[in-house]
Amino acid sequence: AFAGQTRAPAVKSAVQPQVTEVARGFNMPWALAFLPDGRMLVTEKAAGTIRIVTPEGAKSAPLGGLPKV
């Protein structure tokens, strides 16, 4: 590490991001990946689980049969 190492230039934009909450109640959501049919795979860091979430916000139970996260 050295002085000024994290002084990367900021990118300025006039576009305002739009945030849409699809689902809630996760235990530290960590990452998501979109599936071809519009559903999402959502990982929960604290629980070490992965769930499927529909575009309407329905959450599956934690998926089983996966390696320990």
Side-chain angles (χ1 to χ4, degrees):
F2 54 88
Q5 179 177 0
T6 60
R7 303 268 185 223
V11 176
K12 298 185 185 213
S13 172
V15 177
Q16 293 296 317
Q18 180 180 353
V19 177
T20 303
E21 183 177 287
V22 176
R24 61 174 52 196
F26 293 98
N27 188 357
M28 292 182 66
W30 187 247
L32 64 92
F34 287 93
L35 298 171
D37 64 0
R39 296 179 301 160
M40 297 162 273
L41 298 173
V42 180
T43 59
E44 295 175 288
K45 183 177 183 181
T49 58
I50 186 168
R51 297 175 184 265
I52 297 175
V53 180
T54 68
E56 297 76 32
K59 296 187 317 186
S60 73
L63 300 180
L66 300 171
K68 190 166 179 68
V69 177

